[in-house]
Amino acid sequence: MTCPYLFRLDTVAYFPLLRGRHSFEAVARIRDTTQLLLDVYRGDRMYLHPVKVWNRYSPKMFLPHSCSLKLQEKTDDGIDSQSAARIEEESGKEYRFQTVDGGVAISRYYQLVEEEEAKNQDQNFDSHDRFFSLAKMEYQRGEFREETERQIIESTLTKDGRLQKMIRKYFSPRDYFQLRDRMIGSGSLGGKACGMLLARKIIHTELPECRMYFEPHDSFYIGSDVFYTYIVSNNCWETRIAQRTDEGYFEKAGALKEALLSGSFPPDIREKFRKLLEYFGQSPIIVRSSSFLEDGFGNAFAGKYESVFCVNQGTPKERLLAFEAAVRTVYASTMDISALEYRIQRGLKHSDEQMAVLVQRVSGSYHGNLFFPAAAGVGYSYSSYRWNRSMDPGAGLLRIVAGLGTRAVDRPDHDYPRLVNLERPNVSMYNSVADRHRFSQRSLDVLDTEQNAFASREIDSLTESLPLWFKKAVMERDYEAEDALKRMNRWRQVWFTTCQGILENTEFTGMMQKILKTLDRVYGNPVDIEYTVNLDGEGAFVVNLLQCRPLYTGGRGSVTEIPQIPKEDTFFHLRDSSMGTSVKKKIDVVVQIDAKAYYEYPYLSKPKTAAAVGAVNAYYRGTGKNVLLMTPGRVGTSSPELGVPVSFAQISGFCGICEVSDNRAGYMPELSYGSHMFQDLVEAGIFYCALWGDARTEWYDREFFDGMQDLFPMICPDREELFGMFRVTEPENLWYWNNEQTGETLAGRA
């Protein structure tokens, strides 16, 4: 890693290698890059054997040389012969080496070499493997030193003191050895893998009655050092160093991302990848980011780095190529703009971010050529989002979908994941069947083994092929719609997806609540988890815990009273339509996007509006001004017809986001508690509310800023086509209040 860059700098450095402590692979790479490699042995004499000398040659240069171990006084008549060498000491003494060219002397030398090789029979192991091997031998003798455990935890699991304390309590030496057996390369497992393993150990220890409902895990881990190996072997190290400077942080990110996407893995790493794939066979797997900084206290990195499904179909060669592409995609995601912006937000710009990789078997069942779990989602031990004032925030909340859990963490198109308060899990937030149907899940995320790809399928197209027991678990019948169809002589069964059957299973919901409460208690902090649920026709279920991390909820606000202000000074007044803690904040800038103009804007051009939001965000960055974004429909959606498809990087500097419904264009907000976007807003301290077209919006004055100067043409003079859609104003004395306890929200002139 070092020598090529020293060579470019025209400088010299000396690196000692201890014999037998480094694998043959490591020494071979050093031999390839160094200019001078000397093999040194010590017996009755000291021997120096040049193995590689760059750009020099003499007839006896590569023979062993020897000298007496007794240092000689330095004299002026140094040995200048080409068959001799001299090493000077700071003391003024020197070693004088002579070529070993006599038969007896050569015999003694190779006898010493043979003895040394016999001591190092295990040089196929690197120092990391050798350390674990010695630790295992120590444990088998009935010993396991505290220092050994400390080294294992610090080098492999985490450097966070709070997590280390929990690991020492719940892990046994056997657990450390098992995870090493499933590790490719050395270094750390990363935050995501560490959180998953720790949560499972906590549950198995504190809630042994839950074990019968838990799927075993057989994950593999690609150590963080492999990330550096990949960078170095693909000549990306210099670019990485340049990217870590202030000037190159964004400027060099694109070049490094492209380099990471197009590199190749060293042969020894590829061979270990093959063995991993041989273990999983053709079972679908997911390749997930597990970086140094991910899933720690205060830094979730929710959705910042990629996770890639490998359906794992095809020939061994095809599966290996797909797997390598997935790992490269995860590596390259460290240079995504949203990830870079997030690191700046969290004060981590200069922190070392090595990427480990967690490889997990996808939990699910086959339904024809489609593979997916019955349900999946995320869970929270504490929820500040209460659609009913009587709800207990500490009861726990689930966000659950049928199929793969991607629809639970993303902002899906035309879909509504089910929100579940575990105090009353089977009670819907909607009163009527019509509303439950309207705000239900429409599509299922699956793995298509025939197409060898991740896919989304309309649930209506699958209903007839799904078994009845499955439909009863995740769907409901809309009898009102069936009666209406019957009156039109078009009767058919009408199903809609809400996961109601699963949520009526008190064993499942009770267990999930116990898990969340237990993890919350042990962590001493609210947590969120990712999980899957699989069912069979007999009603049995198993849960797989995929992830656990400390949940950042923001500080508890102190606002207890919303002021009374006249209607003419009120911008909007809401009930039960904001999320987050109590807050009082002055608003310096309001950015409004007209819903009707956005609706009429060409579909393929709608992403330009997201770029314009990013431009306004960049304009006000560093000014200290609080900026409120008023946007139609769902912010950050992947479907531009539902709202402006901004990334977190494009809104990272705003102090608040308000989603606005508009019956002129049909846009509907969705306060998507539990999505990655929501977690981003919470961690960045961005408040989040919605203006609905119903009783929850007590007052909204669309013309509140009429007559004020629109600054958008000045901020974005090159975006004339958006002048009628965007409006940026800087009002005086505008404030935002939110009271978490009463659910009341107000924005207006103080």
Side-chain angles (χ1 to χ4, degrees), residues 604-623:
L604 295 179
S605 298
K606 288 185 189 295
K608 292 181 181 179
T609 60
V613 172
V616 176
N617 182 39
Y619 178 82
Y620 283 104
R621 184 187 291 127
T623 64

Side-chain angles (χ1 to χ4, degrees), residues 657-687:
I657 307 292
C658 184
E659 297 181 345
V660 183
S661 67
D662 195 308
N663 54 17
R664 298 174 301 165
Y667 290 112
M668 179 66 68
E670 187 218 355
L671 289 174
S672 54
Y673 192 98
S675 67
H676 285 157
M677 177 65 77
F678 173 73
Q679 187 61 28
D680 285 341
L681 301 180
V682 171
E683 290 191 355
I686 300 172
F687 63 77

Side-chain angles (χ1 to χ4, degrees), residues 340-355:
L340 297 174
E341 284 277 7
Y342 179 89
R343 291 181 64 190
I344 290 177
Q345 281 272 349
R346 308 304 295 162
L348 302 169
K349 180 178 179 180
H350 297 293
S351 298
D352 187 26
E353 178 67 317
Q354 292 185 46
M355 179 60 75

